[in-house]
Structures are given as structure tokens and as C-alpha cells.
Amino acid sequence: MTGSDSSSLAGPAPEGGGGGLHGGGAAGSNGVANLSVSDLSGGESRAHLTSRITSADAVPIGDADPGADHGYHGELAAILIGDEALKAKIAVLAKAVAADHDQDTPPLLICVLKGAVMFVTDFARALPIPSELEFMAVTSYGSATTSSGVVRILKDLDRDITGRRVVIVEDIIDSGLTLSWLLRNLATRGPASVDVVALLRKPEAIKVDVDVRYVGFDIPNEFVVGYGLDYGERYRDLPFVGLLGEHMYR
Ligand code: PRP
């Protein structure tokens, strides 16, 4: 569920991430490089990649309801980002990520389940270089209104990421708490670099500053569903990003 309003996910903010090039770090007592996120980020954000979408860009659902094609007749209020715009943006993001990697050091894509699953499959297929795929599932402690930013791993990576160039693939950055925690967690595992590609970001909902190198769209702080994003596990299967009708959650 990602349709939080700005009052959700209160709680102390963990340390944020930062920019900066890959770097070495002091080895900890357990032999694991004690790198901070700022040491590991691949570099400055690619702000020119990000399109800003406002509420005025939402196309209200008219007589033809595209949600109906998937069994959600009358449940959506508007289309915020159509499937063609998503496809075009993913191609641009994939090109940008590929330009920062090469054939010899293929990125290890880490998909954060479940929301990012649609994005990562399209993104990997749009990448003009080889990539490898891993999945993680995490959940925040507490309810959506009391999240402390402490995250529990439901499914961990299947392999070691030491020395790998990691790209976390996220569907949406809302408060930034999940990503902030994940960056710090992965930093303890000895990767060569960790970058983030996020399809969507809600700038008005951010509670902790996280540097994200590649962001597709900045969107308004509204109740978005579709293209992996759910409300009560529904709507992930929609091929576009839409606004949920208020009557569905009020
Ligand atoms: C969503 C999304 C991100 C996270 C972002 O996952 O996929 O992982 O929330 O929110 P944040 O920036 O406020 O931390 P969610 O917990 O809804 O699980 P899901 O992906 O399984 O739907």
C-alpha cells in the first residue's frame, strides 16, 4: 500500500543517504567493509531524467473506464501516467543506467517486492546491457501510521553481493524510510557500489532524505495504484498508474 497521505509513517527518521563516488572504507572488526551509504552511491543524481507530474496532469476516467478491462470498473478516479508514458520513461532510465555500467561489470538488479515487480521486469528487458536479478522482500514494523523506519526482512537475497555493482529497483519512494534502511543494510555487505532507480517519487511525502540517482517521475502526494502499486493487494495488475477513487478508501 503506498497511498499514504503526508500524515502517515510518523516516527524518527533514520540517517539519510548521500551522494559521492564509490570508495573504500575501513574494514570492520568482522572483516566486512564498514562503508557508509555515501561512500557507495555511484554518484550524483540524474535529475534531468525526472519528469514532474502534477494533479492537473491526471486524466479523469470518463465513459471509457480502462480499469474495467481488468475488473476494476468504477474504482479509479483518473489515469496519472499511461502505459505508453511508462514504457517511454523506462527506456530512458534503462539507457541512463546502462551508460553508467558496462558489459564486464553487469549491474545486479535488486527488486524490492512486491511493488517493483512490474517495473523490474520491464526495466531489465529495456536495458541494452546484461543484468542479473535478485529479489528482496521487506516490511516496516508497525502499522502505516506508526512506522518507525525499522524494517524487517521477509525474504533476503539469495547470494553474496561483495564487489558487485548493485542497482536497487523501486517502484515508489514515499517517505523514503524503506530505501534509507535498505541502503544502510546493503552497505554492510561489501558491494562495489549501490545505486537506486525508482520509477516514482512523492517529494511532498519524503521524511528522510535519500539520494536516488535515477528517478522516473515526481508525482503528487495522492493515492496512486497500478503498475505494481496496490491498495489491499488489488490494482497491481493495471498496466498504468492511476488515482484510486476516494470512495474506495474513505
Ligand atoms: C512500498 C514500495 C516501497 C515502499 C516505499 O512497498 O514498494 O518499497 O512502500 O515507501 P516508503 O518510502 O514510505 O518507505 P509496500 O510496503 O507498500 O509493500 P509492497 O511493495 O509489497 O506493496
Side-chain angles (χ1 to χ4, degrees):
M1 198 279 271
T2 51
S4 63
D5 62 28
S6 56
S7 63
S8 71
L9 291 168
E15 294 156 33
L21 287 167
H22 332 141
S29 56
N30 58 0
V32 174
N34 189 18
L35 299 173
S36 70
V37 171
S38 59
D39 292 324
L40 287 166
S41 171
E44 74 281 5
S45 74
R46 300 289 192 256
H48 63 280
L49 300 173
T50 309
S51 303
R52 185 160 169 267
I53 305 280
T54 71
S55 301
D57 296 315
V59 179
I61 302 290
D63 292 338
D65 179 353
D69 297 341
H70 301 268
Y72 302 121
H73 181 72
E75 300 185 26
L76 302 174
I79 295 180
L80 191 62
I81 309 172
D83 53 354
E84 289 300 324
L86 290 171
K87 192 172 171 197
K89 178 61 74 178
I90 290 166
V92 169
L93 292 173
K95 229 170 139 182
V97 171
D100 293 336
H101 293 76
D102 54 52
Q103 300 269 347
D104 299 332
T105 55
L108 179 63
L109 307 180
I110 296 184
C111 168
V112 186
L113 295 170
K114 306 175 196 165
V117 75
M118 306 296 180
F119 178 36
V120 79
T121 55
D122 285 342
F123 178 77
R125 284 179 289 182
L127 266 181
I129 56 169
S131 62
E132 297 173 20
L133 198 50
E134 277 288 316
F135 294 91
M136 260 184 105
V138 299
T139 187
S140 293
Y141 280 113
S143 69
T145 53
T146 60
S147 171
S148 62
V150 179
V151 173
R152 185 161 61 98
I153 296 175
L154 300 176
K155 187 226 169 289
D156 207 344
L157 303 175
D158 290 337
R159 63 173 124 167
D160 188 7
I161 60 169
T162 306
R164 294 302 306 265
R165 295 201 61 194
V166 166
V167 177
I168 298 173
V169 181
E170 262 288 23
D171 51 330
I172 189 165
I173 301 168
D174 202 319
S175 67
L177 291 169
T178 304
L179 192 55
S180 173
W181 181 91
L182 193 58
L183 284 167
R184 284 177 287 126
N185 180 283
L186 295 180
T188 66
R189 307 186 191 199
S193 64
V194 182
D195 285 300
V196 180
V197 55
L199 183 62
L200 309 172
R201 176 174 61 187
K202 287 181 173 176
E204 297 151 47
I206 296 284
K207 292 197 186 317
V208 53
D209 198 23
V210 186
D211 269 358
V212 180
R213 199 171 194 191
Y214 317 94
V215 178
F217 299 94
D218 276 338
I219 62 170
N221 194 14
E222 297 197 34
F223 214 131
V224 286
V225 294
Y227 201 69
L229 302 166
D230 75 310
Y231 176 57
E233 296 299 328
R234 290 162 61 81
Y235 311 108
R236 294 194 199 272
D237 47 343
L238 288 170
F240 54 85
V241 175
L243 301 183
L244 190 59
E246 275 195 31
H247 62 289
M248 298 305 298
Y249 58 91
R250 291 262 183 238

